[in-house]
Amino acid sequence: MNDESKSKEQLIEELNQLRSNYDCYKFLFDNAPLSYVSVDEDGKIIKVNKTWIEFFGYQSENVSGYSFENFIVPEYIDDFRNFFTLFKEEGLASDVEFEMLKKDGSRVLVSINGKIVYDTKGKFKKGHLIIRDIKERKKVIEAITASRQRLYSL
């Protein structure tokens, strides 16, 4: 059934359902347990979620339009540029590690997973990146590795 043959009540009901769906997805986006950022083809930030804002200490309006690499520590900038070029070529990123800067200047080791969304013509539309703090995980792995080395040296 096309929209022209629907009653006003049917259209209002569909609109209400769309609003409800939007509210649900917005809640999931804003309250996801991991930091999320969307970027354009040049790596400029389009949107971040509340988790990203809280973790990095910025405000959403302070980061939109900025290059994502502005939040990468200087020693990793070239690596990030290479990563982003490869990400655009392959359309996917899995467990890529970088050090990033929080607003207070502190550094945090993160793992980035991402996927690119393409338009109907196959052109880059948006990159979705999930950012995860892996500092604690790294400490645990290093402790396990050190324990194993001590055990094997006995």
Side-chain angles (χ1 to χ4, degrees), residues 24 59 90 101:
C24 178
Q59 295 299 316
E90 295 184 359
L101 291 170

Side-chain angles (χ1 to χ4, degrees), residues 41 78-92 116 124:
E41 190 171 12
D78 288 337
D79 291 336
F80 177 78
R81 289 177 182 158
N82 291 334
F83 153 75
F84 198 71
T85 299
L86 191 61
F87 176 56
K88 290 192 300 184
E89 289 172 5
E90 295 184 359
L92 195 63
I116 293 177
F124 186 107

